[in-house]
Amino acid sequence: RSALRSPARLALGSFALVILLFAGLLSLPFATADGHRAPFIDALFTATSAVCVTGLTTVDTGTYWSGWGLAIIATGIKVGGLGIMTLASLIGLAVSRRLGLTQRLLAAGEARASGLGDLRSLLRTVLVVSFSVEIAIALILIPRFLTLDYGWGRSIGYSVFYGVSAFNNAGFSPDPVGLYPYSHDFWILVPLGLGVLVGALGYPVYLNLVRNWRRPRTWSLHTRLTLVMVGALMVISAVLLAIFEWSNPATLGAHSTADTIGNIFFQSINQRSGGFASFDIGDAREQTWLLEDVLMFIGGGSGSTAGGIRVTTVAVLLLAIMAEARGRRDMEAFGKRVGTEVLRGAVAVTMIGIAIIVVGTTVFMAQTDIPLDRSLYEVISAYATCGLTTGITSDLPDDAKITLIVMMYVGRVGSMTIAAALALNKQRRVIRYPSERPLIG
Amino acid sequence: RSALRSPARLALGSFALVILLFAGLLSLPFATADGHRAPFIDALFTATSAVCVTGLTTVDTGTYWSGWGLAIIATGIKVGGLGIMTLASLIGLAVSRRLGLTQRLLAAGEARASGLGDLRSLLRTVLVVSFSVEIAIALILIPRFLTLDYGWGRSIGYSVFYGVSAFNNAGFSPDPVGLYPYSHDFWILVPLGLGVLVGALGYPVYLNLVRNWRRPRTWSLHTRLTLVMVGALMVISAVLLAIFEWSNPATLGAHSTADTIGNIFFQSINQRSGGFASFDIGDAREQTWLLEDVLMFIGGGSGSTAGGIRVTTVAVLLLAIMAEARGRRDMEAFGKRVGTEVLRGAVAVTMIGIAIIVVGTTVFMAQTDIPLDRSLYEVISAYATCGLTTGITSDLPDDAKITLIVMMYVGRVGSMTIAAALALNKQRRVIRYPSERPLIG
Ligand SMILES: [K+]
Ligand SMILES: [K+]
């Protein structure tokens, strides 16, 4: 059992070490644009944000750090993103094997259907998909930056940075003012949006898509639920964003119709986890913040660099509600039954997430006196490693920065660990108590 | 099946009719202190708040309404409270019978253990407990109001009003400035607090306590979970309130230590559903509002006049998390097993509640431009029929008042109906799909 739990402990320890390493690198004088040593709290914050692929920043990435600093941040994102996906793969494999050993008779074909078989082909898929998408994004962006007269060095550097940042859902931008100048530039927004979208799907989906692209009928339940949820959430959030922000001159109201629609979809993709912003969220309406609070909390796909409680967790909760409403014995989707033990896991992940966010927001508000709207947005953004902000991150006191660092670390590594522990820790008991039904609701 | 569902439809229709009736009565000129006809929106709001035992008010109860108006409000509270408890009893009985018919073999002794047997003794218990507690509170308060020189008429009127308002968790006060003048007066706070506490337990607990007061071992799982949760939430909220507000001169900071502790416990009891406030919530810190958001949402006991998703619903979610963490096959408490179908119901009630509050808050913020902190507090207070407010209710535009009216009605009748529908609507299917396990978290 200790061997099965080791991926979780490995995640906790290795992420802490890697974060400290990158904080050390960012503390070196040549990492900043003006050659001064960055305050350790800002170096630690930026390193945590990079390695946990969050994207929140206490200093302006494009102006504060030197070219070396940007390279360190991009490396941190790449190392963090790979670490997340490979550890998630390891955990997934451990779960799959464990199920194979003890539950083969109960759930025949489960491990096979989920497409997890051997470690090497799994890691190969993760590496091939991530590098391919990152390089593809960079190759599309380089000519665009050249036409904007950025010169070869900066064009290549920015393009690689954006490729890594997009696929890993990191939300960091090397541009001094972020993506705002490109809000009319679909040559840049489209590849970034697609990169974020693909990056948020997760390795179990890549395995299905890479191996059985032309045979959707063979796709696993996990792949189908992920794709349906990602699509549905994108459409729902686009419609609601249009309702809330179309008439807001500070955000989308100033654009042409085509640009507004483009920015709405870019934001719809990014608000669950990507973290790129093509307009200033701080100027958006309160309704938009609340909508994005919910979407950030839901997050992306399991086994991806996206954060949140994951779309399949929410799908399982929805299946439970649908089964209740229809009075069915089983939770069902796409001709498959979802066991009640999965629902229990989903409840645990969701409720622990809500509890951490409530506690984190309470501490954050006590430290900063910032009202609930912006505090909740910031804390959820950190916990769900989304990286969008209403613009308060750079003015925070140090203790509030530490709160966000903890939220980023817990949101990233903690939820992996919890999910792993929940999935692996299955005891069997012989004695069962008599059943009794409390009233609810 | 239609007969089994009728309590739910009965609740929906009868509550709407009773609300309209009391709105009509409050629209009569003699209902207001100055003899003018109250605007219908305020009459409707007050009637909804009274019949749904919420306690939110758009006008100051103590100064706006005449003695007749107060009598109408108290009658509305009593009718609403009795309606809730008897309908909840009917639904509980229907569930119990339905289970008795189809699941006797699966869960032998369940209906017996929950203490629901025949309708008459059940309704008798509800009537006896409610009138006894209300009269007891009134008898304790009358001498106190006499010593405060309120005169016999007002002393009796106020005492009866407070008795009804306390037991039914209505939170209405006949005093012109509410309970603030009594924040040092334990002769008034203690009976009101105890009345709210008892009123929030619910009829299944009364049945156990009335029949088997001296034999706690025979109490049902529902009674035990309710009592443990109510006690635990009271202690937790008292500790957190002390941490957040002890140093706030606008709320508890000005009191003596004894008064502060008394007010903390009074608030701890009332913030889940009672709705009485001995200090101005509008002056409390943001952390306190967020804490109370959570506690109001949790609410009181099933089959009581308290609102929220109910403490046993949260208990079931906690049991699921504990079972997951320990890797147990079953959710267990007090030597009993809780079936997974109960967890599914708890998930449905909780998630539907969260969804309604998010939608309601979004609409409310669009209508009022009030920030998230106060908007969320107000909407949760309406949905959970708690009645506490940060002080914005009286200045709302009419469309936002309608939003709150809908939230009160849906929060009160809707959740009963949903719970009934979920509990009754159990089909059996012969075909089961093959099981497949999506990844979560
Ligand atoms: K991110
Ligand atoms: K109330």
Side-chain angles (χ1 to χ4, degrees), chain A residues 15-316:
Chain A
F15 265 78
L17 277 179
V18 170
I19 287 169
L20 287 176
L21 171 69
F22 278 92
L25 289 174
L26 287 174
S27 297
L28 298 174
F30 65 81
T32 61
D34 62 4
H36 280 76
R37 208 176 266 279
F40 185 70
I41 184 76
D42 293 316
L44 180 65
F45 193 101
T46 308
T48 309
S49 188
V51 174
C52 297
V53 295
T54 306
L56 288 174
T57 51
T58 53
V59 296
D60 182 55
T61 309
T63 52
Y64 189 85
W65 305 106
S66 65
W68 283 110
L70 291 179
I72 293 168
I73 291 171
T75 311
I77 293 169
K78 183 69 196 160
V79 169
L82 272 183
I84 291 158
M85 281 192 296
T86 48
L87 282 168
S89 313
L90 282 173
I91 291 170
L93 202 71
V95 172
S96 156
R97 282 210 178 127
R98 170 96 180 162
L99 291 178
L101 285 172
T102 63
Q103 301 193 319
R104 198 177 293 266
L105 290 172
L106 287 171
E110 215 171 63
R112 221 171 354 106
S114 67
L116 310 173
D118 75 297
L119 186 59
R120 274 170 73 191
S121 81
L122 201 155
L123 292 180
R124 199 191 310 128
T125 306
V126 166
L127 288 171
V128 167
V129 171
S130 68
F131 276 106
S132 310
V133 176
E134 287 159 3
I135 291 169
I137 296 170
L139 289 179
I140 296 169
L141 291 182
I142 289 172
R144 180 57 183 159
F145 286 128
L146 286 174
T147 65
L148 293 172
D149 282 333
Y150 282 21
W152 276 98
R154 204 166 140 221
S155 294
I156 293 174
Y158 275 26
S159 299
V160 169
F161 193 106
Y162 273 123
V164 170
S165 188
F167 177 77
N168 292 292
N169 277 230
F172 276 89
S173 162
D175 271 290
V177 282
L179 285 173
Y180 303 159
Y182 309 132
S183 63
H184 303 264
D185 195 336
F186 285 17
W187 190 346
I188 290 177
L189 294 189
V190 170
L192 287 188
L194 289 177
V196 169
L197 193 59
V198 171
L201 295 177
Y203 73 89
V205 177
Y206 305 147
L207 283 172
N208 264 177
L209 296 187
V210 167
R211 287 181 192 166
N212 300 304
W213 173 251
R214 289 160 181 277
R215 288 177 295 164
R217 287 194 187 166
T218 66
W219 292 353
S220 70
L221 178 60
H222 177 84
T223 297
R224 291 165 189 230
L225 287 177
T226 302
L227 293 176
V228 167
M229 287 294 292
V230 165
L233 288 171
M234 200 165 71
V235 171
I236 292 168
S237 69
V239 170
L240 291 175
L241 263 180
I243 293 171
F244 298 159
E245 294 295 330
W246 199 293
S247 64
N248 184 349
T251 56
L252 300 173
H255 292 306
S256 71
T257 303
D259 281 355
T260 302
I261 293 172
N263 278 275
I264 283 174
F265 272 99
F266 188 75
Q267 180 70 4
S268 297
I269 291 169
N270 274 287
Q271 69 195 4
R272 278 185 302 104
S273 172
F276 288 129
S278 62
F279 60 86
D280 188 350
I281 312 287
D283 291 330
R285 300 215 161 98
E286 294 257 347
Q287 303 91 283
T288 303
W289 292 351
L290 182 58
L291 167 69
E292 300 196 343
D293 288 341
V294 174
L295 291 167
M296 290 192 291
F297 182 69
I298 294 174
S302 293
S304 80
T305 52
I309 60 171
R310 308 316 174 85
V311 291
T312 39
T313 307
V314 176
V316 169

